[in-house]
């Protein structure tokens, strides 16, 4: 018969000694020396790996890593910090994608500032949970102060409120939840019957260049399959306000309820900011909730030169911000802001063991009353230390640098006969494709797809891919102020070489193929 609690079936030799050893791993007043030593070893490994990384990626494939990770027996600990760090190097650190590298040009991942890394270390060790005051104390008030500060930067007014979230997708989901409940409340007040009937009539209008999380939110919220209607964009990939007004009128004529319009301040592909003042005016006239997804463009809130690009955002009912995109914070660090803090009640549920209703009467601040999460990290600590050590102007200066770099990259690509560029970005993305004169049209997509894959396999650089009007394009997402014009020029040469090789090889194969 196997011994209970022993995965190998062997009886434990000394349960008292084993318990003492296990307790030795706990972080407390008696283990701070071990804590300092172990963390210093980990920090040293990361620092050395970052210093050694001569490219953003090694090009490792899932098939290469999977057997190595799958062979690890998680029931048999190594029992040694250095051995575990050696193993971690082999399964992750060696092949991790390093966003700090100046030739990482793919997704909306930023290098992070050191004050935020300090915050990450502190918040993880203390391990406060931001759901209730009695688990967080001052951390709750610090998060609330940062929400107040952000709302002030946006211009939402004295009744504004909000809460930190895991990212833009969660912020957009909660914004649509609040908009849905407000739309339902208004519809019922107007004499509508039955919740299912009302919900089936709700519609969300968003830009054709908007983020996919809007469609995902509609699905999660139980809205109709056709609840999200996309509004066409103009040549600059910004929402067309004439089409928006037409779509609202059409919904009203068809007996549908526009529960929200989602404008974007920094589209993922094109970095464009929708015409917020005009959209806000249309929404106000129609009595429609305006949500601004500024997950990417929130860096403009602290920009010394480009804050005006967000003019009109102050008229939104809700706003998404991702500090872990353009404030150079580690994931996760995001928030949802609302103009009228009372609407956050739609995310509230009182539990006697956690946040009883009487806590409100007692003036006890419980953040779970505002959040769709319960247990939640003190991610606000990272932004707090960043603002207190660097200040907002320094963050804005870093963001301005990458926007300036994108502008220069677009101009160079536009002048390069090897490439074709899409609309200029207002932020820090550049969408383009390899398309020199004489390249057969049927090879354009294939050559660009090959170039991206070959570049990633080499690990020399990483760029993103997308589709524009059905055609495959490449994308530079510039969020590293250390990236230079020379870095971009080198990456473009690599792309052109890979694409040209593919085009030549494909053309030769076609010529040699028997008729």
């Amino acid at each position: 018969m196997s011994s209970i609690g022993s995965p190998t079936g062997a009886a434990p030799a000394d349960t008292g000694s084993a318990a003492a050893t296990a307790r030795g791993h706990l972080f407390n007043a008696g283990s701070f020396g071990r804590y300092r030593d172990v963390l210093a070893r980990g920090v040293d490994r990361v620092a050395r790996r970052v210093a050694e990384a001569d490219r953003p990626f090694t090009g490792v494939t899932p098939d290469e890593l999977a057997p190595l990770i799958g062979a690890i027996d998680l029931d048999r600990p190594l029992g040694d910090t250095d051995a575990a760090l050696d193993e971690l190097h082999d399964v992750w650190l060696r092949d991790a994608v390093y966003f700090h590298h100046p030739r990482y040009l793919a997704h909306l991942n930023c290098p992070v500032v050191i004050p935020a890394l300090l915050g990450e270390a502190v918040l993880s060790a203390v391990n406060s949970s931001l759901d209730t005051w009695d688990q967080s104390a001052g951390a709750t008030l610090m998060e609330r102060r940062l929400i107040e500060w952000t709302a002030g930067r946006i211009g939402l007014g004295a009744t504004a409120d909000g809460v930190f979230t895991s990212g833009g997708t969660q912020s957009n989901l909660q914004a649509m939840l609040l908009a849905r409940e407000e739309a339902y409340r208004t519809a019922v007040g107007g004499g509508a019957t039955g919740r299912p009937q009302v919900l089936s009539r709700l519609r969300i209008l968003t830009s054709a260049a908007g983020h996919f999380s809007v469609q995902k939110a509609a699905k999660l919220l139980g809205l109709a399959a056709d609840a999200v209607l996309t509004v066409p964009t103009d040549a600059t990939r910004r929402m067309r306000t004439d089409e928006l007004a037409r779509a609202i009128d059409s919904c009203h004529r068809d007996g549908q309820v526009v529960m929200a319009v989602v404008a974007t301040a920094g589209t993922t592909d094109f970095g464009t900011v929708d015409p917020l003042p005009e959209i806000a005016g249309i929404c106000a006239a129609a009595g429609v909730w305006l949500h601004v997804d500024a997950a990417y463009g929130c860096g403009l809130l602290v920009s010394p030169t480009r804050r005006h690009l967000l003019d009109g955002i102050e008229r939104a009912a809700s706003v998404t911000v991702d500090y872990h995109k353009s404030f150079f914070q580690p994931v996760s660090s995001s928030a949802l802001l609302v103009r009228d803090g009372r609407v956050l009640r739609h995310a509230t549920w009182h539990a006697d063991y956690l946040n009883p209703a009487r806590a409100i009467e007692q003036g006890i601040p419980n953040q779970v009353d505002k959040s769709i999460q319960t247990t939640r990290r003190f991610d606000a600590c990272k932004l707090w230390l960043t603002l207190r050590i660097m200040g907002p102007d320094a963050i804005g200066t870093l963001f301005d640098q990458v926007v300036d770099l994108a502008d220069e990259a677009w101009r160079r690509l536009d002048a390069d006969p090897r490439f074709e560029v899409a609309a200029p970005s207002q932020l820090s993305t550049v969408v383009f494709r390899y398309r020199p004169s004489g390249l057969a049209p049927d090879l354009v997509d294939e050559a660009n797809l090959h170039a991206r894959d070959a570049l990633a396999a080499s690990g020399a650089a990483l760029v993103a891919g997308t589709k524009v009007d059905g055609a495959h394009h490449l994308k530079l997402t510039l969020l590293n102020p250390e990236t230079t014009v020379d870095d971009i020029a080198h990456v473009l040469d690599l792309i052109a070489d890979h694409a040209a090789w593919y085009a030549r090889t494909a053309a030769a194969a076609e010529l040699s193929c028997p008729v």
Side-chain angles (χ1 to χ4, degrees):
M1 180 181 293
S2 297
S3 299
I4 296 174
S6 174
T8 63
D14 185 345
T15 57
S17 175
T21 299
R23 287 197 303 272
H25 290 287
L26 291 172
F27 172 52
N28 52 39
S31 61
F32 65 84
R34 174 175 168 79
Y35 163 72
R36 285 174 173 167
D37 176 64
V38 168
L39 261 67
R41 290 168 187 249
V43 168
D44 182 64
R45 292 294 184 108
V46 173
R48 278 190 282 141
R49 182 67 190 101
V50 167
E52 293 167 357
D54 62 352
R55 55 189 57 207
F57 185 45
T58 63
V60 69
T61 67
D63 288 343
E64 291 171 323
L65 272 183
L68 181 62
I69 295 174
I72 294 173
D73 186 351
L74 296 176
D75 289 319
R76 294 182 179 276
L78 296 170
D80 177 76
T81 297
D82 287 332
L85 287 171
D86 287 341
E87 181 183 84
L88 188 69
H89 174 271
D90 293 342
V91 299
W92 178 46
L93 286 175
R94 179 187 59 208
D95 301 304
V97 179
Y98 284 99
F99 304 145
H100 79 280
H101 196 281
R103 290 179 184 169
Y104 177 84
L105 311 172
H107 302 288
L108 281 167
N109 306 116
C110 60
V112 294
V113 292
I114 293 173
L117 292 178
L118 171 62
E120 187 73 61
V122 173
L123 74 91
S124 296
V126 179
N127 202 32
S128 295
S129 181
L130 266 289
D131 44 336
T132 58
W133 165 261
D134 64 2
Q135 299 177 74
S136 60
T140 284
L141 301 181
M142 292 166 69
E143 176 175 296
R144 289 189 169 200
R145 181 69 186 92
L146 285 170
I147 289 293
E148 180 184 28
W149 175 81
T150 305
R153 285 272 172 168
I154 295 171
L156 290 178
T159 64
D161 202 350
V163 69
F164 269 60
T165 69
S166 65
T169 294
Q170 183 188 328
S171 292
N172 287 343
L173 171 62
Q174 185 166 351
M176 293 303 97
L177 167 67
L178 303 180
R180 184 194 70 181
E181 294 305 296
E182 286 295 293
Y184 172 72
R185 182 180 62 84
T186 301
V188 169
T193 59
R195 187 175 180 88
Q197 291 86 346
V198 175
L199 296 185
S200 69
R201 295 165 48 214
L202 296 183
R203 297 294 181 268
I204 302 170
L205 303 181
T206 188
S207 164
H211 197 260
F212 78 94
S213 59
V214 177
Q215 283 82 355
K216 188 172 184 178
K219 181 178 181 179
L220 293 174
L221 292 172
L223 302 183
D226 58 349
V228 180
L229 306 176
T230 55
V231 179
T233 59
D234 60 20
T236 64
R237 306 292 168 172
R238 303 168 78 212
M239 184 191 290
R240 286 182 52 179
T241 54
D242 59 333
E243 292 286 356
L244 173 63
R246 188 175 294 114
I248 292 175
D249 288 342
S250 177
C251 287
H252 289 168
R253 286 195 307 271
D254 293 341
Q256 298 165 345
V257 178
V258 180
M259 73 175 228
V261 168
V262 180
T264 310
T267 56
T268 302
D269 276 345
F270 301 103
T272 48
V273 179
D274 286 332
L276 302 180
E278 293 85 351
I279 293 172
I282 292 170
C283 290
V288 172
W289 180 290
L290 170 60
H291 175 65
V292 176
D293 179 359
Y296 176 14
C298 64
L300 296 171
L301 293 173
V302 290
S303 166
T305 63
R306 293 179 171 89
R307 173 59 181 81
H308 63 279
L309 293 176
L310 290 180
D311 286 352
I313 196 173
E314 69 281 357
R315 299 173 65 184
S318 56
V319 178
T320 286
V321 296
D322 269 11
Y323 308 109
H324 61 225
K325 286 186 171 68
S326 48
F327 273 66
F328 305 96
Q329 300 294 292
V331 174
S332 59
S333 183
S334 307
L336 170 69
L337 291 299
V338 293
R339 164 179 297 285
D340 182 355
R342 293 175 298 179
V343 302
L344 291 170
R345 71 187 184 280
H346 296 307
T348 303
W349 191 272
H350 293 288
D352 289 337
Y353 60 83
L354 186 69
N355 62 326
R358 68 177 184 276
I360 296 177
E361 299 172 1
Q362 295 170 329
I364 298 174
N366 290 327
Q367 290 294 84
V368 72
D369 294 346
K370 306 174 183 181
S371 176
I372 60 176
Q373 295 174 265
T374 303
T375 302
R376 201 159 48 79
R377 302 173 81 240
F378 181 29
D379 285 317
C381 181
K382 296 175 284 192
L383 180 59
W384 182 277
L385 282 177
T386 300
L387 292 177
R388 301 310 296 145
I389 294 172
M390 290 176 58
D393 290 348
I395 301 169
T397 297
L398 292 177
F399 191 53
D400 268 359
Q401 286 181 279
V402 295
V403 177
D404 288 339
L405 181 64
D407 188 53
E408 176 62 24
W410 190 92
R411 287 199 298 268
R412 289 189 173 223
L413 273 161
D414 191 42
D416 191 325
R418 298 173 298 178
F419 298 102
E420 174 183 82
V421 288
S425 172
Q426 291 171 283
L427 298 182
S428 62
T429 60
V430 185
V431 178
F432 67 101
R433 60 177 174 165
Y434 176 78
R435 193 178 185 181
S437 61
L439 181 62
D442 60 333
L443 286 180
V444 174
D445 273 8
E446 295 174 13
N448 280 278
L449 288 171
H450 170 80
R452 185 191 177 203
D453 290 345
L455 187 66
S458 75
L462 290 172
V463 300
T466 190
K467 278 188 174 183
V468 181
D469 300 329
H472 288 284
H473 281 63
L474 304 176
K475 181 175 67 170
L476 306 178
T477 306
L478 306 174
L479 279 178
N480 190 342
E482 294 293 312
T483 301
T484 66
V485 172
D486 286 344
D487 286 318
I488 294 172
H490 179 71
V491 172
L492 294 178
D493 285 342
L494 292 176
I495 290 171
D497 288 346
H498 287 306
W501 176 89
Y502 181 87
R504 288 195 304 270
T505 303
E510 185 175 338
L511 287 174
S512 63
C513 183
V515 178

